[in-house]
Amino acid sequence: MKDIFILAIETSCDETSAAVVKNGREVLSNIISSQIEIHQRFGGVVPEIASRNHTMAIVNVIDQALKQADIVLDDIDAVAVTYGAGLVGALLVGVSAAKALSYMLNKPLIAVNHIRAHIAANYLESDLEPPFLGAVVSGGHTELVDIKDYTHYEILGSTLDDAAGEAFDKVARVLGLGYPGGPKIDKLAKEGKHSIEFFKTAKMISDEYAFSYSGLKTAVVNYIHNAKQRGEEINIPDICASFTYYALEPIVQKAFDAAKKLGYQNIALAGGVAANSYLRQRFEEMGTKHGIKVYIPKLEYCTDNAAMVASMGYYNYINNVGISDLTLNAVPSL
């Protein structure tokens, strides 16, 4: 069987990334140009600035990906690109570059869903195959997904308001930790204890697989506000540890409940928050306890990257899904 090489582009938010992946599993290159330092001064991602920086970085990033993979453009079988969800201006940079390459090379253009790509990060350098239970935990999404096969997904439940990653960033902002909030809360949580039972008052939704983070976020804000009014010292590590526990433990419990109900022996964690050390540890502990194999991407594949887009693009390609023409457009709310 002929090897298939996918060149992928990812520009959904504040990382400009290009990658070359062979047969959906073997990463030959994965170049990421991050804008974190640029956006830190604003306390979050500024869409217009993100778009302009993607425009400046995209050509060089693609060149680096090809060079690192030690291949030329003619070796590519198809071009995959994230077309949603994400920031519309940022997405358009990647989509435009991919369409130009597809036209120039006369090679197929493959549209990739960003969240499905996060799940596909677990295929990179692993033996994971569907069916399995996917737990997506990112800045914009928190959901449990029944992965029936490579291109057939069914959402079992999702957040009704804020996503987990979004809540982490908002709590970090209230604590004055800056952007990005997730890694900073993760670091401080290791120094504290989840001893603040006041956060327990925030209901995380009783529905079987649904989530809600607006109440928990408000509970943290109220706790800090009340403590300041009383002149009490705020223990930031304990707040981080308690928030982390109440934010992430429901995901752990519901994911394993869903996997057992579906009769699945594999669970895959995905999304930017999959880099959180507490979440990774708890999934591994529960996997051992229940005899379920847990797949967690390497840290570099948790955040936005083109290697995961290439993997999903490969499975779209061989299943004739998402093959697009030059009318492909960005879909920010995909």
Side-chain angles (χ1 to χ4, degrees), residues 122 135 248-249 251-253 255-256 265 267-269 274-299 302:
N122 286 282
L248 300 183
E249 192 61 28
I251 297 172
V252 178
Q253 299 299 329
F256 280 86
Q265 296 301 307
I267 292 180
L269 190 58
N276 180 275
S277 61
Y278 175 85
L279 192 62
R280 297 170 79 91
Q281 179 183 333
R282 287 293 292 131
F283 263 80
E284 289 173 350
E285 289 172 351
M286 289 288 281
T288 300
K289 178 180 178 181
H290 294 286
I292 294 176
K293 188 168 183 179
V294 173
Y295 290 82
I296 306 175
K298 293 194 298 186
L299 292 177
C302 289

Side-chain angles (χ1 to χ4, degrees), residues 30-52:
N30 186 39
I31 305 299
I32 303 172
S33 175
S34 176
Q35 300 178 23
I36 286 179
E37 291 186 5
I38 296 170
H39 296 282
Q40 277 179 333
R41 74 191 78 167
F42 306 106
V45 178
V46 180
E48 176 64 19
I49 293 174
S51 302
R52 290 176 181 272

Side-chain angles (χ1 to χ4, degrees), residues 168 170-178 181-196 199 220 223-225 227-228 232-245:
F168 269 85
K170 289 180 178 178
V171 168
R173 192 175 301 126
V174 172
L175 291 171
L177 301 180
K184 295 179 180 181
I185 289 179
D186 189 9
K187 182 179 179 180
L188 286 169
K190 296 174 185 177
E191 303 170 13
K193 300 177 181 178
H194 62 85
S195 56
I196 304 176
F199 296 168
V220 175
Y223 176 85
I224 295 170
H225 178 70
K228 287 181 177 178
E232 297 174 357
E233 184 179 349
I234 298 173
N235 188 317
I236 293 180
D238 282 358
I239 291 175
C240 291
S242 301
F243 167 72
T244 297
Y245 174 81

